[in-house]
């Protein structure tokens, strides 16, 4: 009977060892993940995590980042000026911040003229912003259409009135030119390959690495289930610490008892 009573605490202690070991393996995986993501997030500014973006299609699909519903495109020479929602692209390269809806684009010599509702953006053929014209510089707004007359002069339509720009694009005067003589910029269908690249670039500039790490660190990447999993992982780490302290205490008591027994003998 005495031997049986001594056996029960031993079995319970061994069972606790087994659970402690298994729990340690699971908790260690979460501890590594939380440690790595925490260290990275602690250096967000240094690593520029807020300005780096996730481009993986699987993760973008997981976040529900859908392809754009429409891509508005205008041809300016061999270049396509495109707009997706509030973003403007020079071919597939993101460029200027939005100034309303894109209404047209044209080319004059080595100058690309992009017409937004509230501004004219002047770009080089390499995609470098040269100047921005607005109502403060005498630009008539809102701009409804943009085009070129037979003398290659820029023509704007604003509120059903036509305006002719001088060669330097410094002044805009009321024009009496017939609309039939003006080559208006109209929307076009960009090549399939460009549309595919635009879609990729658009989706790849939405979810920052910082947000991804925050969602991974907190478990929100998996929604409510992920938060529960991280909570359970936290409880597992707590249980691991407590069981470890308990086992250490049991070993300490055992060593003390062994020392007392050795002294008596």
């Amino acid at each position: 009977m005495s031997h049986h009573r001594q056996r029960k605490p031993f079995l319970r202690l061994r069972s606790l060892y087994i659970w402690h070991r298994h729990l340690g393996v699971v908790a260690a995986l979460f501890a590594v993940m939380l440690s790595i993501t925490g260290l990275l997030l602690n250096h967000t500014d240094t690593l520029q995590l807020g300005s780096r973006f996730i481009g993986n299609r699987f993760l973008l699909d997981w976040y529900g980042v859908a392809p754009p519903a429409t891509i508005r495109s205008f041809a300016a020479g061999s270049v396509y000026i495109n707009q997706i929602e509030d973003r403007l692209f020079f071919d597939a390269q993101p460029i200027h911040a939005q100034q309303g809806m894109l209404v047209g684009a044209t080319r004059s010599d080595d100058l690309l003229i992009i017409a937004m509702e509230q501004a004219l953006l002047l770009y080089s053929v390499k995609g470098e912003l040269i100047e921005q014209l607005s109502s403060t510089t005498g630009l008539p707004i809102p701009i409804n259409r943009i085009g070129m007359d037979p003398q290659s002069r820029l023509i704007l339509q604003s509120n059903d009135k036509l305006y002719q720009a001088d060669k330097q694009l410094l002044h805009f005067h009321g024009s009496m030119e017939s609309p039939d003589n003006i080559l208006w910029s109209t929307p076009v269908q960009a090549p399939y390959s460009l549309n595919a690249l635009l879609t990729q670039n658009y989706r790849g500039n939405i979810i920052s690495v910082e947000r991804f790490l925050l969602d991974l660190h907190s478990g929100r990447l998996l929604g409510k289930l992920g938060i529960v999993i991280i909570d359970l992982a936290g409880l597992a780490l707590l249980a691991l610490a407590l069981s470890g302290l308990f086992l250490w205490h049991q070993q300490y008591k055992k060593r003390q008892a062994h020392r007392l027994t050795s002294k008596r003998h």
Side-chain angles (χ1 to χ4, degrees), residues 5-256:
R5 288 178 179 176
Q6 291 177 357
R7 182 81 175 167
K8 281 187 177 181
F10 173 77
L11 292 175
R12 286 197 295 267
L13 193 60
R14 181 175 179 180
S15 178
L16 183 59
Y17 268 115
I18 294 172
W19 278 105
H20 179 81
R21 185 168 63 249
H22 291 166
L23 192 63
V25 173
V26 176
L29 297 176
F30 284 97
V32 170
M33 184 271 290
L34 292 173
S35 297
I36 293 174
T37 54
L39 285 170
L40 291 173
L41 288 169
N42 202 37
H43 298 279
T44 294
D45 293 337
T46 303
L47 299 175
Q48 299 179 335
L49 301 180
S51 57
R52 297 183 178 183
F53 295 89
I54 298 296
N56 183 272
R57 291 183 180 180
F58 173 79
L59 289 176
L60 292 173
D61 290 340
W62 184 268
Y63 271 100
V65 179
T70 58
I71 300 177
R72 187 173 174 83
S73 301
F74 292 86
S78 60
V79 174
Y80 288 89
I81 306 301
N82 313 282
Q83 186 178 43
I84 302 176
E85 296 182 358
D86 60 346
R87 301 184 182 186
L88 200 63
F89 296 83
F90 184 100
D91 280 335
Q93 173 189 351
I95 51 172
H96 202 272
Q98 172 116 0
Q99 298 287 339
M101 187 178 72
L102 173 65
V103 297
T106 187
R107 178 170 176 172
S108 177
D109 297 326
D110 292 331
L111 190 67
L112 294 179
I113 305 171
I114 303 173
M116 313 297 291
E117 283 183 316
Q118 304 296 322
L120 275 183
L121 308 177
L122 309 182
Y123 275 84
S124 72
V125 292
K126 294 182 179 180
E128 300 166 338
L129 179 64
I130 297 173
E131 190 175 358
Q132 174 178 327
L133 306 180
S134 64
S135 59
T136 58
T137 60
L139 181 72
I141 59 171
I143 300 175
N144 306 124
R145 286 197 295 178
I146 181 176
M148 289 287 186
D149 69 6
Q151 287 73 42
S152 297
R153 292 174 297 192
L154 181 68
I155 303 295
L156 302 180
Q157 180 180 341
S158 176
N159 292 327
D160 298 325
K161 185 175 181 180
L162 299 182
Y163 294 86
Q164 177 183 297
D166 60 16
K167 285 292 185 180
Q168 290 74 36
L169 302 180
L170 297 176
H171 302 286
F172 297 86
H173 307 284
S175 172
M176 298 303 295
E177 291 282 348
S178 168
D180 294 337
N181 296 328
I182 300 172
L183 182 61
W184 295 109
S185 175
T186 56
V188 298
Q189 180 69 39
Y192 176 81
S193 57
L194 177 57
N195 279 339
L197 190 56
L198 280 167
T199 298
Q200 180 181 337
N201 289 351
Y202 167 78
R203 296 181 76 207
N205 281 274
I206 294 179
I207 306 298
S208 68
V209 175
E210 179 185 17
R211 177 181 171 184
F212 170 71
L213 290 175
L214 282 169
D215 291 344
L216 184 61
H217 188 80
S218 64
R220 289 184 174 85
L221 187 64
L222 300 177
K224 292 182 179 180
L225 175 62
I227 296 174
V228 172
I229 291 174
I230 292 298
D231 289 343
L232 291 175
L235 292 174
L237 288 170
L238 178 61
L240 187 66
L242 293 176
S243 61
L245 287 172
F246 177 77
L247 291 171
W248 174 84
H249 180 66
Q250 292 298 111
Q251 287 292 336
Y252 177 78
K253 286 171 59 178
K254 186 176 179 180
R255 286 196 298 269
Q256 289 296 99

